[in-house]
Amino acid sequence: MKTIQLTAKTQKDLLDSLLKRSPNHYGQYESVVSEMIARVREEGDQAVFDYTKQFDRWEITADNIRVTQAEIQEAFDAADAEFIEVMRRSAANITAFHQKQLRSSWIDTREDGSLLGQRILPIAVSGVYVPGGKAAYPSSVLMNVIPAKVAGVGRIIMTTPAGADGKVNPGTLAAAKIAGVDEIYKVGGAQAIAAMAYGTESIPKVDKITGPGNIFVALAKKACFGYVSIDSIAGPSEILVLADETANPRYVAADLLSQAEHDELASAILITTSRELAAAVEQQIEGFLQELSRADIIRKSLEHYGYILIAESMDAAVEAANAIASEHLEILTQNPYEVMTKIKNAGAIFLGEYSSEPLGDYYAGPNHILPTNGTAKFFSPLNVDDFMKKTSIISYSREALERAHHDIELFAGKEGLTAHANSIHVRFEETD
């Protein structure tokens, strides 16, 4: 990790460095992804089958593309019983948290006969992408599917790549059963996103696609946005720890490494007012790297995107944290709740030394699908509203419209839209 003094210049340089990790900076892959999407859109299943054979190296057909109930049950039965119970408890926490986000339709009536309201309904079909490859993430299945279930989505489609043997990771299938996925298809990559966006002979078109993936998946979601809704174009994982001299350096080091192990582009940042803590954290990191299984990935992540920033004051540290707008923000200070009130931008905030980031990844209940690359300044974690659509309701009586019609006609006239004005005027032309 690079230890530097926090100044306006070093903060700007850091932000510039972090932004290079954004999927928006990988334009060299866009033409490849566009070609894949176009082919899936035109050829349907055949394109999906060809790409699956090319990238996943197994023969997929219309007969074996969908995961059967027998395969799901086999994976569920083979799973570690204790792990199944842990996933059930996690699912219960996620469900309870997201149920509090539910909102109801509403109607407001007035004495003049006007009626205004909003109708809130779930989308019909939700699609979730679950990565395979280097690692499988059953937790992402729970986090993507459960908010959709709570919202009332009637049909949930999942795509995930199979191995060369045509089998899907059993943990992924077990999580899908617990979460309540309706259909699972053995397709990964940009071709899976295109298939859900446009539909093929085997894979139905969905209304929204959520879930993480590699750069090709991210760019495919970006390209398909508009034909289908998406959650976000997620970048690599990131964590920022705000700490003072009271923080436990062993805890801080462990928490930083919990995100650095995701991949070489992950970012781990410590902002502290204590040089002594900074030195102790570095020492603890070196100790952990001697024993952690993904040490090689962690070292590369820390080399490129690992920083320890020494701030003159906690206010300066908070200002930098708001500028970075990290996906995960831990506050390990003497009074974390006071510091939290000054935080404006973060995907998720973890308070105190017993609220480490993996608590949010797996168990607490808030969603772990969070805005990255500074987008916490204007995006939110995945939530129930992401699976809802809202329709406005308007009803005016003659009396109510009569009171407003001159105002509306004036407004339309100022915009040069005479047909708009006439649509109102014809209802009162006899009295005007």
Side-chain angles (χ1 to χ4, degrees):
M1 298 183 78
K2 294 171 281 291
T3 300
I4 55 179
Q5 186 70 33
L6 178 61
T7 65
K9 183 181 186 307
T10 57
Q11 179 176 306
K12 181 182 183 303
D13 291 344
L14 171 60
L15 292 173
D16 290 343
S17 175
L18 294 178
L19 285 174
K20 293 176 182 177
R21 301 154 57 249
S22 168
N24 292 320
H25 286 72
Y26 289 84
Q28 68 267 36
Y29 301 115
E30 287 184 346
S31 60
V32 174
V33 171
S34 295
E35 181 182 340
M36 293 176 69
I37 291 171
R39 192 176 162 206
V40 171
R41 190 175 184 184
E42 182 177 343
E43 300 177 23
D45 271 358
Q46 189 57 55
V48 171
F49 298 163
D50 289 347
Y51 285 129
T52 300
K53 183 176 181 179
Q54 178 182 348
F55 298 119
D56 297 334
R57 306 197 181 285
W58 72 285
E59 292 284 349
I60 188 173
T61 68
D63 294 328
N64 63 17
I65 189 173
R66 181 170 172 177
V67 177
T68 65
Q69 287 301 314
E71 288 176 295
I72 296 172
Q73 193 60 50
E74 179 184 0
F76 197 79
D77 292 342
D80 177 72
E82 185 178 11
F83 181 43
I84 292 294
E85 289 308 309
V86 168
M87 282 199 289
R88 289 191 191 279
R89 289 195 290 271
S90 174
N93 291 340
I94 297 166
T95 300
F97 180 86
H98 288 83
Q99 282 176 336
K100 297 183 188 301
Q101 298 174 346
L102 281 168
R103 293 192 288 169
S104 301
S105 301
W106 56 271
I107 294 290
D108 179 29
T109 58
R110 300 174 183 172
E111 292 183 359
D112 62 6
S114 63
L115 179 153
L116 300 174
Q118 186 176 70
R119 194 178 185 197
I120 303 175
L121 295 171
I123 62 176
V125 186
S126 176
V128 55
Y129 183 84
V130 179
K134 292 181 180 179
Y137 299 106
S139 59
S140 284
V141 178
L142 303 181
M143 293 291 183
N144 278 280
V145 175
I146 290 174
K149 297 292 285 188
V150 170
V153 175
R155 188 181 184 190
I156 300 177
I157 308 300
M158 188 174 98
T159 60
T160 188
D165 58 358
K167 293 186 176 182
V168 173
N169 180 276
T172 297
L173 294 183
K177 181 177 175 65
I178 290 170
V181 175
D182 297 297
E183 300 163 39
I184 306 171
Y185 296 90
K186 303 175 183 179
V187 181
Q191 63 269 29
I193 302 301
M196 288 192 285
Y198 298 105
T200 71
E201 297 90 331
S202 296
I203 300 175
K205 177 180 174 15
V206 304
D207 299 312
K208 182 160 192 164
I209 300 173
T210 66
N214 62 19
I215 187 62
F216 295 98
V217 169
L219 290 175
K221 288 168 71 176
K222 179 181 178 182
C224 291
F225 177 67
Y227 296 96
V228 66
S229 179
I230 63 172
D231 50 353
S232 65
I233 306 167
S237 188
E238 54 200 29
I239 185 171
L240 189 154
V241 178
L242 274 180
D244 61 17
E245 70 281 356
T246 67
N248 184 318
R250 188 166 176 82
Y251 295 172
V252 174
D255 295 353
L256 291 169
L257 301 186
S258 73
Q259 292 307 291
E261 76 168 340
H262 271 292
D263 62 58
E264 293 86 348
L265 293 176
S267 170
I269 299 171
L270 167 63
I271 306 180
T272 181
T273 51
S274 170
R275 288 189 176 275
E276 292 75 17
L277 177 72
V281 168
E282 283 199 279
Q283 185 177 11
Q284 290 290 333
I285 285 174
E286 282 305 314
F288 281 129
L289 287 175
Q290 304 308 311
E291 57 190 61
L292 293 171
S293 62
R294 295 168 69 88
D296 288 344
I297 292 174
I298 294 172
R299 287 188 187 278
K300 290 177 182 177
S301 169
L302 296 182
E303 179 183 350
H304 294 104
Y305 301 107
Y307 295 89
I308 297 177
L309 304 178
I310 309 297
E312 291 295 331
S313 66
M314 187 52 64
D315 284 343
V318 168
E319 182 181 348
N322 281 324
I324 294 168
S326 185
E327 177 187 18
H328 307 102
L329 172 64
E330 289 189 7
I331 303 178
L332 300 175
T333 61
Q334 188 169 23
N335 191 341
Y337 297 95
E338 179 183 354
V339 175
M340 179 195 68
T341 64
K342 301 175 183 179
I343 296 297
K344 306 300 182 185
N345 305 317
I349 301 174
F350 300 79
L351 301 171
E353 63 182 9
Y354 295 105
S355 304
S356 59
E357 189 280 335
L359 172 65
D361 272 352
Y362 297 113
Y363 200 75
N367 211 286
H368 79 194
I369 298 168
L370 304 167
T372 59
N373 278 110
T375 60
K377 294 175 182 176
F378 44 83
F379 282 146
S380 304
L382 190 71
N383 61 83
V384 168
D385 273 356
D386 285 305
F387 301 96
M388 295 288 198
K389 54 189 180 69
K390 304 171 184 71
T391 302
S392 299
I393 299 171
I394 303 169
S395 176
Y396 265 41
S397 65
R398 178 181 176 85
E399 176 189 354
L401 185 61
E402 188 170 17
R403 291 180 180 178
H405 81 96
H406 287 302
D407 290 350
I408 302 167
E409 290 172 40
L410 176 63
F411 217 137
K414 292 297 184 182
E415 293 189 349
L417 300 176
T418 55
H420 278 63
N422 186 60
S423 173
I424 300 295
H425 175 70
V426 294
R427 288 163 166 77
F428 303 99
E429 56 189 351
E430 296 178 357
T431 58
D432 282 351

